[in-house]
């Protein structure tokens, strides 16, 4: 299966926005089925699940998978976004940076979650240090 870049981004940002902390400090669980329902009509259930799996495998989410006897996913509980997940979310949140990152990823044929993270972080670094990058975005030349 091929990772849907926009789905992966939207899922990470959605999970990060959820209030998942109880008043006593315990983490609430976000259920995979609820995320699939939230994104129904925009992404397939498979794309949402695959994005979560890759975000977990890459170390960006704290997740608990419950599998049945045939090793099929029975349910999935998302507990939190990791520190690295928050760093990734920060680097992909601005639309301008995401569009530039996504273009680079697609042109290079990159679909590894860790490589996506590395590219997005580097593009974000350039965005805050290169005045031409900022000017291009502001004037609409950015493509």
């Amino acid at each position: 299966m091929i990772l849907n870049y926009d789905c992966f981004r939207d899922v990470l940002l959605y999970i990060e926005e959820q209030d998942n902390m109880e008043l006593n400090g315990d983490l609430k669980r976000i259920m995979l089925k609820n995320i699939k329902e939230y994104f129904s009509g925009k992404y397939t259930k498979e794309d949402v699940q695959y994005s979560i799996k890759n975000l977990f495998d890459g170390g960006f989410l704290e997740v608990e998978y419950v599998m049945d006897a045939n090793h099929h996913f029975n349910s999935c509980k998302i507990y939190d976004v990791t520190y690295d997940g928050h760093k990734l979310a920060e680097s992909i949140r601005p639309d301008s940076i995401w569009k530039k990152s996504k273009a680079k990823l697609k042109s290079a044929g990159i679909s590894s979650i860790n490589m996506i993270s590395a590219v997005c972080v580097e593009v974000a670094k350039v965005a805050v240090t290169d005045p031409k990058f900022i000017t291009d975005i502001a004037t609409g030349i950015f493509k």
Side-chain angles (χ1 to χ4, degrees):
M1 183 166 195
I2 296 172
L3 184 67
N4 180 320
Y5 296 125
D6 290 318
C7 181
F8 130 81
R9 176 187 186 235
D10 288 349
V11 165
L12 177 60
L13 296 178
Y14 172 80
I15 293 169
E16 187 186 45
E17 291 170 0
Q18 302 309 299
D19 178 17
N20 67 333
M21 186 72 72
E22 298 281 356
L23 292 177
N24 66 2
D26 290 343
L27 292 175
K28 296 181 203 174
R29 291 161 207 75
I30 305 166
M31 301 303 292
L32 174 61
K33 67 178 183 153
N34 296 343
I35 297 172
K36 287 179 179 179
E37 288 171 10
Y38 180 82
F39 286 109
S40 68
K42 186 170 185 179
Y43 301 115
T44 67
K45 291 178 179 182
E46 294 80 11
D47 278 339
V48 171
Q49 183 165 321
Y50 193 65
S51 293
I52 290 172
K53 179 190 179 309
N54 276 274
L55 286 163
F56 169 68
D57 290 347
F60 302 105
L61 293 178
E62 293 176 12
V63 173
E64 177 186 333
Y65 283 107
V66 179
M67 301 177 92
D68 64 19
N70 295 321
H71 300 285
H72 295 111
F73 293 118
N74 212 3
S75 69
C76 173
K77 301 172 188 174
I78 297 105
Y79 289 96
D80 206 1
V81 177
T82 65
Y83 177 74
D84 286 339
H86 286 292
K87 287 192 326 188
L88 175 58
E90 282 302 311
S91 72
I92 63 175
R93 189 180 323 281
D95 286 334
S96 57
I97 293 172
W98 175 243
K99 288 176 184 173
K100 182 70 171 175
S101 298
K102 189 168 71 168
K104 288 186 174 294
L105 294 165
K106 283 185 175 183
S107 69
I110 295 171
S111 61
S112 156
I113 199 87
N114 286 318
M115 285 300 296
I116 291 170
S117 175
V119 168
C120 292
V121 168
E122 288 305 312
V123 170
K125 285 179 187 176
V126 169
V128 297
T129 59
D130 182 359
K132 181 172 177 4
F133 186 91
I134 295 167
T135 303
D136 287 350
I137 291 171
T139 59
I141 298 171
F142 175 82
K143 293 183 181 178

